[in-house]
Amino acid sequence: MSLVLSEEQELIQQAASEFLKEQTPITHLREMRDSEDPVGFSKALWKEMAELGWAGIPFSEDVGGAGLGLAELGVIVEECGRTLSPYPFLSSVVLAGGAIALGGSEAQKQEILTGLCKGETLLALAFQETGRFSPWAIGTKAEKAGDGFRISGEKLFVLDGHVADHLVVAARTSGSSGEENGITLFLVDPSTQGCTVTRSSMIDSRNAARVALSDVTVTSSAVLGEVDRGAEILNAVFDRATAILSAEMVGIISEVFERTVTYLKEREQFGVRIGTFQALKHRAAEMFCEVELAQAVVLDALRALDEDRPHASRVVSAAKARCSDAASLITCEGLQMHGGIGMTDEEDIGLFLKRAKTAELSFGDAAFHRDRFARLTGF
C-alpha cells in the first residue's frame, strides 16, 4: 500500500499551502491573540475558505459539501498546522458537523450543514466535563419534560463554543457517569434561556468555552440519532477528530523540523555553523525519522476511516500515540536548538510548542491511545 498523496490531494495541498501562507501566517495568530479578538479568528477569512470548498469537504453534495474524504481534509489541516491557523475545522466541521452528519435527520442536516458548508454557520460539540479526555465521564442530565427534555450540567473545553450558532450537547438520559450507554446528543441554541457560554483561552491562544446548562428545555426534535445511543455517534466522531488533529500535529512538527534545520545551517558559534556539530546532526536525524513515521501513520489512519476498515480505530490510536510522542520530542528539541531566543515570545518556535502540547493532550495523550490500541487488539 502506497502511503503518499494522490495527484488530487497534492493539488489540494499546494493550494492550501499558498493560501494559508499568504492569508494566515504566524503574524495572523499573533494579531488575534494580542488584540484579544472577540472571535479568535477572522469570520471573513473563514467564509473565504468555505467558498474554496474546504468547510464542506467531508459532507455530501446534498448539503452543499464536496463529498470527499478525511484524507483530503487532513491535507488542509496539516497545512494549518504549519502556520498555526486558528480556524474551526476541528470544532465546527469534524466534531459538531460530524455528529450531525452521522446522527442528524435530513431536516437537521439541511438546516445546519448547508450553512456550515457556506461558512455562514458555526458549530461546537460540548461533551467534556473533566480536565482530561474521558469521553464517557458525563454527568450532565437530560430528563423528560413534556414532549421534550430538560438539560442541566456543565461542560468544559468546548472548542470555539463562544461563537457557535448551534451546540451539540452530550447529556445522560440513563445510566451513570463513566458508562458508555445512556448518553444522548441534543442540538441546543446557545441563546436558549438557562444556557450560559463563557469564553476562555488555552495556552496556545485557541478558544475553549465553558458551557453551563441550567434547566435548558429542548424539544424531542433536537435529539441527534437515538435516545441513549449517542456514544455510537461519538465513537465515530472522536476517531475522526483524533485523526484530523494528528494531521495538524504532522504539520506542526514538519514546520518545526524545517525551521530548526534552517537555523542550524545559519547560526554560527566558535566560528562555525552549529549544524556541523555531530551531536546536533544526530538529533536532527532523529527528528526527521519521527516526522516521516508520523506522516505515514496519519495518512494510513485517515484512509482507514474513509475506507471504513474494520480496524480503523486501532490505526487511529496508533497515529495519535505516535504523533503525541513525536510532537513532544520535536518541539522540545526545536526550542532547545534555537537556544535562548527560543524561549522568547518574539521567536515563533515557542508558539509551535504550545500548540503541540495542547494537541498532545486533546482527545487522549500517548498513554491513553497505547492503552486503547492494546484493548482493541485484544491484549
Side-chain angles (χ1 to χ4, degrees):
M1 179 173 56
S2 174
L3 289 177
V4 296
L5 299 181
S6 66
E7 187 176 342
E8 184 181 29
Q9 289 164 351
E10 284 184 351
L11 291 173
I12 294 172
Q13 183 184 47
Q14 183 179 353
S17 176
E18 291 173 0
F19 180 90
L20 293 168
K21 284 179 181 174
E22 181 178 347
Q23 300 293 334
T24 69
I26 306 294
T27 52
H28 182 65
L29 174 69
R30 290 184 180 278
E31 288 169 5
M32 295 290 152
R33 182 196 65 176
D34 297 343
S35 66
E36 297 182 355
D37 186 274
V39 176
F41 55 87
S42 165
K43 285 190 175 181
L45 263 181
W46 176 242
K47 184 86 165 46
E48 203 170 328
M49 292 180 191
E51 288 170 354
L52 290 170
W54 295 357
I57 278 181
F59 302 115
S60 68
E61 295 177 0
D62 295 344
V63 295
L68 296 174
L70 291 172
E72 283 74 24
L73 183 61
V75 166
I76 291 173
V77 175
E78 181 180 330
E79 294 305 312
C80 288
R82 282 180 170 272
T83 61
L84 299 178
S85 298
Y87 284 83
F89 287 103
L90 189 61
S91 58
S92 278
V93 177
V94 182
L95 288 170
I100 294 170
L102 290 170
S105 64
E106 285 306 312
Q108 289 168 333
K109 292 177 187 176
Q110 288 295 333
E111 178 190 349
I112 298 174
L113 295 185
T114 302
L116 173 61
C117 293
K118 291 179 180 176
E120 297 170 351
T121 302
L122 292 169
L123 311 173
L125 175 63
F127 71 96
Q128 192 161 332
E129 299 183 8
T130 60
R132 297 181 71 87
F133 181 67
S134 182
W136 316 130
I138 293 176
T140 297
K141 294 285 186 182
E143 300 172 332
K144 284 290 290 181
D147 66 342
F149 293 84
R150 186 185 301 114
I151 308 172
S152 292
E154 187 175 44
K155 300 293 182 180
L156 307 176
F157 301 108
V158 182
L159 303 181
D160 297 317
H162 69 303
V163 290
D165 300 297
H166 301 275
L167 294 171
V168 176
V169 175
R172 190 162 290 287
T173 40
S174 67
S176 57
S177 180
E179 294 180 3
E180 187 167 336
N181 294 324
I183 295 168
T184 303
L185 300 181
F186 297 91
L187 276 171
V188 175
D189 183 339
S191 63
T192 305
Q193 186 175 2
C195 182
T196 305
V197 181
T198 306
R199 181 190 185 184
S200 61
S201 295
M202 297 188 287
I203 60 168
D204 58 355
S205 305
R206 298 292 181 92
N207 307 306
R210 178 187 296 265
V211 176
L213 303 137
S214 178
D215 292 331
V216 172
T217 303
V218 297
T219 64
S220 56
S221 63
V223 173
L224 289 180
E226 297 180 37
V227 173
D228 285 345
R229 301 183 65 177
E232 295 175 13
I233 299 171
L234 288 177
N235 266 320
V237 168
F238 290 150
D239 267 348
R240 295 176 181 200
T242 302
I244 288 295
L245 183 62
S246 298
E248 183 183 349
M249 295 170 80
V250 168
I252 292 170
I253 60 178
S254 298
E255 185 70 20
V256 169
F257 170 69
E258 290 169 15
R259 284 175 179 241
T260 302
V261 169
T262 299
Y263 184 75
L264 294 180
K265 291 178 179 178
E266 294 174 347
R267 177 80 167 92
E268 289 190 5
Q269 206 166 35
F270 310 117
V272 295
R273 292 184 175 86
I274 62 174
T276 60
F277 299 157
Q278 191 74 352
L280 295 183
K281 285 182 179 178
H282 287 171
R283 288 164 67 177
E286 184 182 6
M287 292 166 69
F288 171 78
C289 293
E290 291 295 327
V291 170
E292 292 293 304
L293 285 170
Q295 284 176 335
V297 72
V298 168
L299 185 55
D300 191 35
L302 292 167
R303 287 179 176 170
L305 291 170
D306 285 337
E307 295 164 6
D308 199 21
R309 291 184 211 157
H311 302 302
S313 295
R314 206 161 62 187
V315 185
V316 169
S317 278
K320 184 59 164 59
R322 167 61 65 178
C323 285
S324 292
D325 286 344
S328 179
L329 171 74
I330 292 172
T331 54
C332 286
E333 286 283 71
L335 190 84
Q336 190 177 56
M337 289 189 204
H338 275 75
I341 64 168
M343 299 297 293
T344 64
D345 186 67
E346 289 76 12
E347 174 55 50
D348 291 339
I349 204 79
L351 300 179
F352 285 98
L353 182 143
K354 290 176 180 176
R355 178 59 189 152
K357 181 56 68 179
T358 305
E360 180 188 340
L361 298 176
S362 299
F363 301 104
D365 59 11
F368 176 96
H369 281 285
R370 283 198 185 89
D371 177 70
R372 182 173 184 251
F373 181 92
R375 284 186 285 107
L376 292 173
T377 312
F379 290 160

